[in-house]
Amino acid sequence: TLPLTLFWQAQGTVTKDYTVFVHLLDTAGAIRGQGDGPPAAGFYPTTAWDSGEVVVDEHVVAVDPDAPPGIYQLVVGLYELSTGVRLSTMEGDRVYLSDIEVGP
């Protein structure tokens, strides 16, 4: 597993409750680890966030036990649970955080 602390900041009023996704992607873009869930373990939905407030959000990414050793991309984003529609970012529909090395 990979523990991860995210820091979110709303730029205005948030009118929908979003779910966080954290994905570990292989070179083909396949998900090899995942840590989806509501912000703050469901205790602080996005509609409660105030503009400019910084929200601390902890997640655990469960790495696929069959993932071969190598370098993976860690990406994060938000989506509406009922529709699966992702929130747009300047990078598309997710944000690249870092490369992660998975060892044997």
Side-chain angles (χ1 to χ4, degrees):
T1 61
L2 173 68
L4 178 67
T5 302
L6 301 170
F7 297 87
W8 300 101
Q9 185 174 35
Q11 299 298 306
T13 302
V14 182
T15 59
K16 296 180 180 180
D17 283 325
Y18 290 99
T19 298
V20 177
F21 70 87
V22 183
H23 293 165
L24 195 61
L25 305 177
D26 67 15
T27 56
I31 297 173
R32 293 304 199 126
Q34 190 165 345
D36 291 21
F43 292 106
Y44 200 34
T46 56
T47 52
W49 296 2
D50 292 322
S51 181
E53 173 185 18
V54 175
V55 176
V56 179
D57 182 27
E58 296 183 7
H59 290 266
V60 175
V61 179
V63 179
D64 181 350
D66 295 329
I71 303 296
Y72 294 82
Q73 286 190 335
L74 186 65
V75 298
V76 65
L78 297 164
Y79 66 94
E80 194 174 351
L81 184 61
S82 63
T83 64
V85 175
R86 292 183 177 182
L87 195 61
S88 294
T89 73
M90 297 202 47
E91 297 177 23
D93 64 358
R94 61 187 178 202
V95 174
Y96 164 82
L97 294 181
S98 179
D99 284 342
I100 301 292
E101 184 174 3
V102 174

